[in-house]
Every structure is written in structure tokens, then in C-alpha cells.
Amino acid sequence: MGDRTQQEQASPEVRKRVRESFDRQGLMTHLGARMTHIGPGRVHIELPARPEVTQQNGHVHAGATSAVADSAGGYAALTLFPEESDVLTVEYKINLLAPAVGDRIEAIGTVLKPGRTLTVCQLEVYGVRDDGERKLVANGQQTLFRVNRPAE
């Protein structure tokens, strides 16, 4: 998607639809994650490093890291789908590159290849300190399936 999408905002309608979907995710709410950027084909999700999401050595747990990465990619894809669409993860692979340390982690999902049915996203997760220091702690790739949203 290129550097242009890093700060570009999605339309107000798309942002509203994506935020409403994110707010319905019980796991993201339970973890304390929050969406910090919604752009065309790019979404950022932050997760504060709290004791409830860490493993035995105090690092953010791989499960929490993977969950926010998965959601960031899924919502990045959703920004490019028609309004009546929803998204399901088909598969993803994540490489844990370093202990997830910092005051929070930031997961960034970026669409690499949009499609009518399947979409491929890049996943990046950074450990971020309040002083601005950032370190890449995980990266991966994801394939998503576009589905029609169930009737209400």
C-alpha cells in the first residue's frame, strides 16, 4: 500500500464501521486494546503492557501479541471491503523476533494484496516505550476471507 497510507485516514463512514466492529470484539475489550489509526488498508492497534497480558518473565504474552496483530490485519482489510462485508482470518503466521517489552505494544496491519475474496496483509508488532523508543518484536503475514455480514 506504500508510505502514503501511514497517516491517511479512512473516510468517516469506514472509520465508524470499523470502530463499531472492533468494539464488538470481546477479546480486544478484555485485553484492553484500542484502535489508534484507521487508514485505507492500514490499521494500528495498541495494547498497554499490564500484568494481565504478560507471561512469566513480564513480557507481553505471545498470545496477546498475536491476537492484536491478527485484529490489526483483519481491520486493515475491512477498510477496503464494501459496507455489507465482514472478514474472517483464513491463516496467519507470526514470527516472534524479540521479547515484547515496553509500556505498550503497537500492532500494524497493512494490506499487501487486496482481493474480491482473499486479501493478504503484512503484520508488524512493535514494543513501544513512553519515551518514544520503538522496537520490532514480531512480524507476520495473514490471509483473510471476505464474507457477507449476517443479516441483523
Side-chain angles (χ1 to χ4, degrees):
M1 293 300 301
D3 291 341
R4 178 178 63 82
T5 61
Q6 288 186 14
Q7 297 304 318
E8 186 179 350
Q9 293 289 317
S11 72
E13 297 80 17
V14 168
R15 288 196 317 266
K16 180 180 187 291
R17 178 168 50 100
V18 168
R19 282 200 191 282
E20 286 175 352
S21 176
F22 183 79
D23 290 346
R24 290 191 304 270
Q25 277 204 357
L27 182 59
M28 292 296 106
T29 300
H30 179 72
L31 292 175
R34 64 186 186 92
M35 199 170 278
T36 59
H37 175 76
I38 304 169
R42 187 175 178 99
V43 164
H44 298 214
I45 298 174
E46 289 188 354
L47 176 68
R50 305 178 346 268
E52 296 85 358
V53 298
T54 60
Q55 45 86 295
Q56 69 279 6
N57 296 311
H59 311 305
V60 176
H61 194 284
T65 300
S66 298
V68 294
D70 176 45
S71 286
Y75 283 115
L78 190 63
T79 66
L80 302 179
F81 292 167
E83 182 178 344
E84 69 280 356
S85 300
D86 213 334
V87 62
L88 293 172
T89 300
V90 174
E91 63 83 28
Y92 72 99
K93 180 197 187 314
I94 193 146
N95 294 304
L96 303 166
L97 306 172
V101 296
D103 297 297
R104 64 191 173 281
I105 60 171
E106 179 185 34
I108 302 171
T110 306
V111 173
L112 295 175
K113 171 72 171 72
R116 282 182 287 135
T117 305
L118 296 177
T119 294
V120 177
C121 290
Q122 172 182 308
L123 310 173
E124 300 170 287
V125 183
Y126 294 87
V128 182
R129 290 180 18 165
D130 287 340
D131 66 8
E133 182 182 333
R134 295 169 60 84
K135 180 177 182 180
L136 183 66
V137 298
N139 76 340
Q141 187 167 299
Q142 171 187 50
T143 304
L144 300 146
F145 185 69
R146 184 176 70 83
V147 297
N148 289 328
R149 196 170 37 210
E152 296 178 15

